[in-house]
Short mmCIF file of all heavy atoms in Angstrom, two decimals:
data_model
loop_
_atom_site.label_atom_id
_atom_site.label_comp_id
_atom_site.label_asym_id
_atom_site.label_seq_id
_atom_site.Cartn_x
_atom_site.Cartn_y
_atom_site.Cartn_z
N LEU A 742 46.45 -51.77 -43.93
CA LEU A 742 46.27 -53.07 -43.27
C LEU A 742 47.33 -53.28 -42.21
O LEU A 742 48.52 -53.18 -42.48
CB LEU A 742 46.36 -54.19 -44.32
CG LEU A 742 45.51 -54.02 -45.59
CD1 LEU A 742 45.86 -55.10 -46.62
CD2 LEU A 742 44.04 -54.07 -45.25
N ASP A 743 46.86 -53.57 -40.99
CA ASP A 743 47.79 -53.78 -39.88
C ASP A 743 47.81 -55.28 -39.57
O ASP A 743 46.83 -55.82 -39.05
CB ASP A 743 47.31 -52.96 -38.66
CG ASP A 743 48.39 -52.84 -37.60
OD1 ASP A 743 49.42 -53.52 -37.73
OD2 ASP A 743 48.19 -52.07 -36.65
N GLU A 744 48.90 -55.92 -39.85
CA GLU A 744 49.06 -57.37 -39.65
C GLU A 744 47.83 -58.11 -40.16
O GLU A 744 47.16 -58.81 -39.40
CB GLU A 744 49.26 -57.67 -38.15
CG GLU A 744 50.39 -56.94 -37.48
CD GLU A 744 51.78 -57.49 -37.85
OE1 GLU A 744 51.84 -58.43 -38.68
OE2 GLU A 744 52.77 -56.93 -37.37
N PRO A 745 47.53 -58.00 -41.44
CA PRO A 745 46.26 -58.54 -41.93
C PRO A 745 46.14 -60.07 -41.90
O PRO A 745 45.04 -60.59 -41.82
CB PRO A 745 46.21 -58.05 -43.38
CG PRO A 745 47.62 -57.81 -43.76
CD PRO A 745 48.31 -57.38 -42.52
N THR A 746 47.27 -60.77 -41.94
CA THR A 746 47.17 -62.23 -41.98
C THR A 746 47.34 -62.86 -40.61
O THR A 746 47.37 -64.08 -40.49
CB THR A 746 48.23 -62.81 -42.95
OG1 THR A 746 49.52 -62.31 -42.54
CG2 THR A 746 47.95 -62.41 -44.38
N SER A 747 47.43 -62.00 -39.59
CA SER A 747 47.61 -62.51 -38.23
C SER A 747 46.41 -63.39 -37.85
O SER A 747 45.26 -62.95 -37.94
CB SER A 747 47.72 -61.32 -37.29
OG SER A 747 47.59 -61.72 -35.97
N GLY A 748 46.69 -64.61 -37.45
CA GLY A 748 45.63 -65.50 -37.00
C GLY A 748 44.97 -66.30 -38.11
O GLY A 748 44.09 -67.14 -37.84
N LEU A 749 45.33 -66.02 -39.35
CA LEU A 749 44.69 -66.76 -40.46
C LEU A 749 45.43 -68.07 -40.70
O LEU A 749 46.65 -68.17 -40.52
CB LEU A 749 44.72 -65.92 -41.74
CG LEU A 749 43.90 -64.64 -41.77
CD1 LEU A 749 44.02 -63.97 -43.14
CD2 LEU A 749 42.44 -64.91 -41.47
N ASP A 750 44.68 -69.10 -41.15
CA ASP A 750 45.33 -70.37 -41.48
C ASP A 750 46.00 -70.22 -42.86
O ASP A 750 45.71 -69.27 -43.61
CB ASP A 750 44.31 -71.51 -41.45
CG ASP A 750 43.16 -71.27 -42.39
OD1 ASP A 750 43.42 -71.12 -43.60
OD2 ASP A 750 42.00 -71.18 -41.92
N PRO A 751 46.90 -71.13 -43.23
CA PRO A 751 47.66 -70.97 -44.48
C PRO A 751 46.78 -70.82 -45.71
O PRO A 751 47.09 -70.02 -46.60
CB PRO A 751 48.49 -72.26 -44.56
CG PRO A 751 48.63 -72.68 -43.13
CD PRO A 751 47.38 -72.29 -42.45
N VAL A 752 45.67 -71.55 -45.76
CA VAL A 752 44.79 -71.45 -46.93
C VAL A 752 44.20 -70.04 -47.00
O VAL A 752 44.17 -69.40 -48.06
CB VAL A 752 43.67 -72.53 -46.86
CG1 VAL A 752 42.69 -72.35 -48.01
CG2 VAL A 752 44.26 -73.92 -46.85
N ALA A 753 43.75 -69.58 -45.85
CA ALA A 753 43.15 -68.24 -45.80
C ALA A 753 44.19 -67.17 -46.14
O ALA A 753 43.85 -66.16 -46.78
CB ALA A 753 42.55 -67.99 -44.42
N ILE A 754 45.45 -67.41 -45.72
CA ILE A 754 46.50 -66.43 -46.03
C ILE A 754 46.69 -66.35 -47.55
O ILE A 754 46.75 -65.25 -48.12
CB ILE A 754 47.83 -66.81 -45.33
CG1 ILE A 754 47.71 -66.59 -43.83
CG2 ILE A 754 49.00 -65.98 -45.88
CD1 ILE A 754 48.90 -67.05 -43.01
N ASP A 755 46.73 -67.51 -48.19
CA ASP A 755 46.89 -67.53 -49.66
C ASP A 755 45.72 -66.81 -50.33
O ASP A 755 45.91 -66.02 -51.26
CB ASP A 755 46.96 -68.98 -50.17
CG ASP A 755 48.33 -69.59 -49.89
OD1 ASP A 755 49.27 -68.81 -49.61
OD2 ASP A 755 48.45 -70.83 -49.91
N GLU A 756 44.52 -67.10 -49.86
CA GLU A 756 43.33 -66.46 -50.44
C GLU A 756 43.39 -64.94 -50.25
O GLU A 756 43.07 -64.17 -51.15
CB GLU A 756 42.05 -67.02 -49.80
CG GLU A 756 41.71 -68.41 -50.30
CD GLU A 756 40.56 -69.04 -49.50
OE1 GLU A 756 40.05 -68.41 -48.54
OE2 GLU A 756 40.19 -70.17 -49.85
N PHE A 757 43.83 -64.55 -49.04
CA PHE A 757 43.91 -63.12 -48.75
C PHE A 757 44.95 -62.45 -49.66
O PHE A 757 44.69 -61.38 -50.24
CB PHE A 757 44.28 -62.90 -47.27
CG PHE A 757 44.58 -61.47 -46.95
CD1 PHE A 757 43.55 -60.55 -46.84
CD2 PHE A 757 45.88 -61.02 -46.80
CE1 PHE A 757 43.81 -59.22 -46.57
CE2 PHE A 757 46.15 -59.69 -46.54
CZ PHE A 757 45.11 -58.78 -46.42
N ASN A 758 46.10 -63.10 -49.78
CA ASN A 758 47.16 -62.52 -50.62
C ASN A 758 46.67 -62.33 -52.05
O ASN A 758 46.91 -61.30 -52.68
CB ASN A 758 48.40 -63.40 -50.58
CG ASN A 758 49.13 -63.28 -49.24
OD1 ASN A 758 48.89 -62.34 -48.48
ND2 ASN A 758 50.00 -64.22 -48.94
N SER A 759 45.97 -63.35 -52.57
CA SER A 759 45.45 -63.26 -53.94
C SER A 759 44.47 -62.09 -54.06
O SER A 759 44.46 -61.34 -55.04
CB SER A 759 44.71 -64.54 -54.32
OG SER A 759 45.55 -65.63 -54.14
N LEU A 760 43.66 -61.95 -53.03
CA LEU A 760 42.66 -60.88 -53.02
C LEU A 760 43.31 -59.50 -53.05
O LEU A 760 42.90 -58.62 -53.82
CB LEU A 760 41.81 -61.04 -51.75
CG LEU A 760 40.57 -60.20 -51.61
CD1 LEU A 760 39.54 -60.61 -52.65
CD2 LEU A 760 39.99 -60.37 -50.22
N VAL A 761 44.36 -59.33 -52.25
CA VAL A 761 45.05 -58.04 -52.19
C VAL A 761 45.70 -57.74 -53.53
O VAL A 761 45.62 -56.60 -54.05
CB VAL A 761 46.08 -58.03 -51.04
CG1 VAL A 761 46.95 -56.78 -51.09
CG2 VAL A 761 45.38 -58.10 -49.70
N VAL A 762 46.31 -58.74 -54.12
CA VAL A 762 46.95 -58.55 -55.42
C VAL A 762 45.90 -58.15 -56.47
O VAL A 762 46.11 -57.24 -57.28
CB VAL A 762 47.72 -59.84 -55.84
CG1 VAL A 762 48.19 -59.74 -57.29
CG2 VAL A 762 48.90 -60.06 -54.92
N ALA A 763 44.76 -58.82 -56.40
CA ALA A 763 43.68 -58.51 -57.36
C ALA A 763 43.19 -57.08 -57.18
O ALA A 763 42.98 -56.35 -58.16
CB ALA A 763 42.54 -59.49 -57.17
N LEU A 764 43.04 -56.67 -55.93
CA LEU A 764 42.57 -55.30 -55.66
C LEU A 764 43.58 -54.28 -56.16
O LEU A 764 43.21 -53.26 -56.74
CB LEU A 764 42.33 -55.11 -54.16
CG LEU A 764 41.10 -55.81 -53.58
CD1 LEU A 764 41.12 -55.77 -52.05
CD2 LEU A 764 39.81 -55.17 -54.09
#
Side-chain angles (χ1 to χ4, degrees):
Chain A
L742 311 172
D743 195 351
E744 305 286 2
T746 55
S747 166
L749 294 182
D750 58 59
V752 176
I754 290 175
D755 283 343
E756 285 171 359
F757 172 75
N758 287 344
S759 305
L760 189 67
V761 172
V762 170
L764 287 169

